Amino acid sequence: QNWTRGMSYCLHSESHLDTGPIYVRENGKLHMVNQGAGGIQNVTPKTRPFRLFSRGFSVELCMNREDDRARRQRTDHFIFTYTKEGNLRYSAKSLFSLVLGYISDNVDHIDSLIGFPEQIAEKLFSAAEARQKFTEPVTGLRALQKFTEAYGNLVLCSLCLRNRYLVISEKLEEIKSFRELTCLDLSCCNLGDEHELLEHLTKEALSSVKRLLLKDNSLSDAGLRRMTAPVRVLKKGLENLLVLDLSCNPKITDVGIGYLLSFKKLNCLDISGTGLKDVNAVIKRIQMQIGLVHSKVPLKEFDHSNCKTEGWAEQTVLQWEQAVMEARKSQDDLRSRTAALRFYGKTRRIEDVVKCKLVEAETKASGNLQFYKERVQNCHLPLKKEVAGSHELRNNKKRALAEQEKERTSKQKHLCLSVEDWDLLNTY
């Protein structure tokens, strides 16, 4: 009793503080102290409901299945959520999401997507891309070909592989599967004349390319001859080309520039840093036969800022690059070996990145050889000068007819192909 009186006295003295209910265990039983009366009541406390999750918490049920090769958890058909009242409820997934997930997991088994709606195909491509299906070596190529055959430039309309020669070497077949590209940047990749990708440029799948950048690729006259053979003889291949960059290729001479004259639709050309001998003669030849004018100011078409990777497969190309960089990190641990090779006088090919900058410096020193096509402006002349101008028009028509006759005779000459040209044609 004395103990309870002391307890009640303490409670009354500190009544201004809200201490909450006080429980006392006596003789193996739990008693609650009544603050108002100062006594002890044998009342069992009211237990609050135990809340496993906080309010608004949602959880999605996942199950591990037999396919451990994927190394990820696959979702079940239901989504479980925890309501505000503390009840656990579930909602079923939509049939579209279930079917989309199943097809994206087995996208390599699709026979054809021709005639399939583009809106749903884009969602299917993004779902397969999120599962990194296109990074797999065999099944990824097969799935990517199904999309490119059906949708063409929607999958990828512009591809920038500037200074990404490792991606080209690892994913060459995947890059060749893209169709109807309009812009292709292969600058600073050191491809050479006999690379398989340059041969692919002459195929019908890339006849839609309008912007081609081949800066610093160790090209020579033989490479340009192979690349322009279908256009010169068969009128196929890169016949729709509008912008061409061949700068920083010192092995290209005056003979190689003659092969470029078959691109009649060309609007912009860059041959800076090439091995030309008679520059003035080349400038006049380009202006007379293609109609391109030498630019004294660097053109914006060749600053490489407009060329980007655009299309559904934009993230896929980034995944390829990340995979190549991760594989390259394992090789960075071998720097001590390369240092030993340098010490013993053995050099390794590590100047690839610096090479492009050095060639650009040489290009600036040699001069700018960029060409563009002037826009034809309609000049409204006075009426008095129309009579005098009619004689000039007649003379121009005569000259045009003479030039047409020359072209016909030149075409007849082209029909008499050399043995080397026939060998090239037989390869296509």
Side-chain angles (χ1 to χ4, degrees):
Q1 292 179 354
N2 293 330
W3 180 79
T4 54
R5 290 177 182 177
M7 179 65 70
S8 62
Y9 175 75
C10 293
L11 292 173
H12 286 294
S13 61
E14 297 179 356
S15 59
H16 60 279
L17 297 175
D18 188 8
T19 59
I22 299 174
Y23 300 94
V24 178
R25 184 177 295 278
E26 184 178 1
N27 296 325
K29 295 182 180 181
L30 190 64
H31 306 279
M32 185 179 67
V33 179
N34 189 1
Q35 297 181 5
I40 300 176
Q41 296 180 357
N42 295 329
V43 180
T44 57
K46 296 181 179 179
T47 59
R48 295 181 179 179
F50 178 72
R51 187 180 298 275
L52 182 61
F53 302 102
S54 60
R55 291 183 178 180
F57 179 82
S58 62
V59 61
E60 186 174 358
L61 182 61
C62 299
M63 297 178 63
N64 292 328
R65 296 187 179 179
E66 296 178 357
D67 191 6
D68 294 333
R69 292 175 297 177
R71 293 183 180 178
R72 62 174 178 271
Q73 294 179 343
R74 300 189 177 185
T75 57
D76 200 10
H77 298 345
F78 301 99
I79 299 176
F80 292 85
T81 57
Y82 203 79
T83 61
K84 296 180 179 180
E85 293 79 9
N87 299 324
L88 190 63
R89 295 182 180 178
Y90 67 91
S91 59
K93 288 185 178 180
S94 62
L95 182 60
F96 177 78
S97 61
L98 293 176
V99 174
L100 188 68
Y102 179 78
I103 297 176
S104 60
D105 286 332
N106 302 278
V107 68
D108 55 309
H109 297 290
I110 296 176
D111 292 334
S112 177
L113 288 171
I114 298 176
F116 202 67
E118 298 176 358
Q119 295 81 1
I120 302 177
E122 184 178 0
K123 295 181 180 180
L124 180 61
F125 188 92
S126 60
E129 190 178 52
R131 290 166 169 80
Q132 295 186 356
K133 282 290 183 179
F134 301 111
T135 58
E136 299 176 1
V138 179
T139 58
L141 175 61
R142 190 184 303 119
L144 190 62
Q145 289 175 350
K146 299 300 180 182
F147 280 96
T148 54
E149 289 175 359
Y151 304 103
N153 60 353
L154 292 178
V155 178
L156 208 65
C157 61
S158 178
L159 179 59
C160 180
L161 295 174
R162 179 181 172 89
N163 202 10
R164 297 179 183 177
Y165 48 90
L166 293 177
V167 179
I168 294 175
S169 60
E170 293 293 332
K171 299 293 180 180
L172 179 60
E173 296 299 328
E174 286 81 354
I175 294 171
K176 289 169 61 177
S177 65
F178 294 122
R179 295 168 174 260
E180 300 180 8
L181 289 174
T182 57
C183 180
L184 182 59
D185 190 354
L186 299 174
S187 303
C188 304
C189 290
N190 197 17
L191 298 179
D193 294 330
E194 298 181 356
H195 198 274
E196 190 175 352
L197 186 57
L198 291 178
E199 184 180 355
H200 180 66
L201 290 176
T202 60
K203 301 297 178 61
E204 295 182 0
L206 294 181
S207 60
S208 59
V209 174
K210 297 181 179 180
R211 182 182 177 90
L212 181 61
L213 307 178
L214 294 173
K215 179 179 180 180
D216 189 15
N217 274 287
S218 301
L219 296 175
S220 65
D221 297 339
L224 294 184
R225 182 169 166 273
R226 291 176 61 88
M227 191 174 64
T228 58
V231 182
R232 289 186 289 110
V233 182
L234 301 176
K235 302 301 179 183
K236 294 181 180 180
L238 298 172
E239 57 182 355
N240 297 318
L241 199 61
L242 299 178
V243 179
L244 179 61
D245 186 4
L246 293 172
S247 60
C248 303
N249 290 295
K251 294 182 181 180
I252 296 177
T253 61
D254 303 3
V255 179
I257 301 301
Y259 298 134
L260 302 178
L261 302 178
S262 58
F263 296 131
K264 300 299 182 181
K265 297 181 181 180
L266 206 61
N267 291 333
C268 296
L269 176 64
D270 189 1
I271 54 174
S272 305
T274 54
L276 301 180
K277 296 180 181 179
D278 194 351
V279 179
N280 294 326
V282 171
I283 292 174
K284 292 180 180 179
R285 190 178 180 185
I286 292 175
Q287 185 173 1
M288 291 297 295
Q289 298 190 16
I290 308 181
L292 299 181
V293 183
H294 181 225
S295 176
K296 298 180 180 180
V297 183
L299 301 177
K300 295 181 180 180
E301 285 78 5
F302 302 106
D303 59 357
H304 298 273
S305 61
N306 297 326
C307 187
K308 299 177 182 179
T309 303
E310 297 178 354
W312 296 352
E314 181 179 354
Q315 296 297 324
T316 303
V317 177
L318 293 178
Q319 290 176 1
W320 294 346
E321 187 177 4
Q322 291 176 359
V324 171
M325 294 303 294
E326 290 178 358
R328 193 176 180 182
K329 286 181 181 179
S330 61
Q331 298 179 358
D332 293 338
D333 299 333
L334 303 177
R335 293 180 180 178
S336 59
R337 297 183 182 179
T338 56
L341 291 174
R342 291 180 187 176
F343 178 76
Y344 289 107
K346 297 179 181 180
T347 58
R348 192 178 179 182
R349 186 179 177 184
I350 54 176
E351 293 86 2
D352 294 336
V353 181
V354 186
K355 183 179 178 181
C356 187
K357 296 181 180 179
L358 294 176
V359 177
E360 286 179 358
E362 293 178 357
T363 303
K364 293 180 181 179
S366 61
N368 183 25
L369 288 177
Q370 295 181 354
F371 299 86
Y372 69 98
K373 184 171 288 186
E374 291 182 338
R375 296 180 180 177
V376 180
Q377 297 179 356
N378 295 324
C379 299
H380 300 282
L381 299 175
L383 296 175
K384 295 180 180 180
K385 296 181 180 180
E386 287 181 356
V387 178
S390 61
H391 297 287
E392 295 180 358
L393 292 174
R394 292 176 183 175
N395 294 328
N396 291 330
K397 289 181 179 180
K398 291 180 180 179
R399 292 175 183 174
L401 292 173
E403 289 179 357
Q404 289 179 1
E405 291 178 357
K406 289 180 180 180
E407 288 181 358
R408 291 175 183 175
T409 55
S410 64
K411 288 181 180 179
Q412 292 177 358
K413 291 180 181 179
H414 280 299
L415 292 175
C416 300
L417 301 176
S418 61
V419 178
E420 296 178 353
D421 288 334
W422 281 114
D423 293 337
L424 281 176
L425 290 175
N426 290 328
T427 58
Y428 294 105

